[in-house]
Amino acid sequence: MHRRTLVKSAAALGLAGGFGSVSLSAFAQAKVKPNAKSALIVVDVQNCFIDGGTLPVKGGAEVVPVINKLADSFENIVVTQDWHTAGHASFASTHAGKKPFETTKLSYGTQVLWPDHCVQGTEDAALNKDLKLPTAQVIIRKGFHKNVDSYSAFEEADRKTSTGLAGYLKQRGINTVFVTGLATDFCVAWTALDARKLGFQVYVIEDATRAIDLNGSLAAAWKQMSAKGVKRIQSSDIVAA
Ligand code: VGL
Ligand code: ZN
């Protein structure tokens, strides 16, 4: 770390001015410090994306304790839910002759087709019961227009329809988001990329995410995110392991 960065982070941590004895261990434990203008975004930690659900992400349950612990470091928490109609356009079963994980063309472009998942009001679409976020302030539901998917928490796949989240965050003075949840290469990545596009500082907390990894989608997502200035960090950068 360069000296100037070190001094700046020391100031940010409130350590400038004579607390020499605590400084080094404090750096090791908290390289990134969320503040009142930061929000934790918890993407789609729903039964559908966890073992026993309709579109399970490998290791999906493992993000839950990591996110629960991170929550203590945030004043602002946003939760999202994938919330599809029955017969949604993103479901393979809606398209004759199509199987899950194939693609089709919809009005807005290529759409990956998924197993039926996260149908509104079902237990499958509920937030995982082990997720403990009593201080979360808003739940954004997405993907509820039958003919349009929405991986991103900000904008639907037609690239026109807003979910309202950007306005909500901006009106509350939030300028930095930390994205976690499922899945790294779909809803997390699209949310992070849209947040950058909308002018937020963006961190993805890697060990608080798990991926679907369809045909190299995970590597592609990280490449795109890093090209757009999304910062890739670990939960240990924020809270002691
Ligand atoms: C997601 C595929 C379909 C996600 C949602 O949450 O990443 N992936 N719907
Ligand atoms: Zn979905």
Side-chain angles (χ1 to χ4, degrees):
M1 204 190 268
H2 293 297
R3 182 169 163 74
R4 211 182 319 140
T5 326
L6 202 64
V7 169
K8 218 162 91 191
S9 7
L13 289 166
L15 294 173
F19 295 96
S21 58
V22 294
S23 59
L24 276 178
S25 62
F27 286 137
Q29 285 166 14
K31 280 183 257 174
V32 182
K33 197 160 166 47
N35 62 28
K37 295 185 171 186
S38 309
L40 179 67
I41 303 184
V42 179
V43 175
D44 299 2
V45 183
Q46 295 164 263
N47 294 329
C48 28
F49 298 115
I50 288 176
D51 277 341
T54 48
L55 179 44
V57 178
K58 195 162 182 275
E62 293 162 18
V63 305
V64 174
V66 182
I67 292 169
N68 288 346
K69 187 164 173 184
L70 281 165
D72 294 339
S73 302
F74 287 86
E75 271 179 48
N76 305 297
I77 302 179
V78 174
V79 172
T80 77
Q81 268 180 305
D82 210 35
W83 199 249
H84 297 309
T85 60
H88 193 259
S90 74
F91 297 172
S93 65
T94 302
H95 305 270
K98 290 288 188 183
K99 289 197 214 50
F101 310 107
E102 294 178 354
T103 60
T104 194
K105 286 260 184 259
L106 295 183
S107 61
Y108 50 80
T110 303
Q111 170 72 48
V112 178
L113 295 172
W114 305 103
D116 290 23
H117 66 281
C118 299
V119 172
Q120 299 171 356
T122 61
E123 187 53 29
D124 190 57
L127 294 171
N128 184 259
K129 68 169 176 20
D130 297 323
L131 192 66
K132 294 282 182 316
L133 299 174
T135 61
Q137 296 144 350
V138 70
I139 298 177
I140 292 282
R141 289 172 167 173
K142 60 184 180 63
F144 52 74
H145 288 123
K146 194 167 184 171
N147 295 313
V148 188
D149 203 2
S150 189
Y151 296 144
S152 166
F154 290 96
E155 197 180 84
E156 300 190 21
D158 62 3
R159 301 331 251 151
K160 288 197 278 265
T161 310
S162 171
T163 64
L165 180 58
Y168 170 85
L169 293 173
K170 286 182 179 179
Q171 289 200 322
R172 295 199 50 221
I174 289 162
N175 60 18
T176 303
V177 297
F178 292 76
V179 190
T180 62
L182 305 169
T184 326
D185 42 349
F186 288 91
C187 293
V188 168
W190 285 53
T191 296
L193 288 167
D194 275 355
R196 281 298 294 151
K197 209 168 68 182
L198 290 157
F200 294 94
Q201 278 233 79
V202 183
Y203 295 85
V204 169
I205 308 174
E206 184 174 16
D207 60 321
T209 74
R210 289 294 184 277
I212 294 174
D213 204 9
L214 194 60
N215 308 318
S217 56
L218 180 60
W222 279 120
K223 195 170 163 193
Q224 236 184 323
M225 288 193 282
S226 95
K228 298 293 181 188
V230 172
K231 299 190 186 92
R232 180 178 185 167
I233 61 169
Q234 307 301 318
S235 62
S236 58
D237 292 328
I238 299 177
V239 282

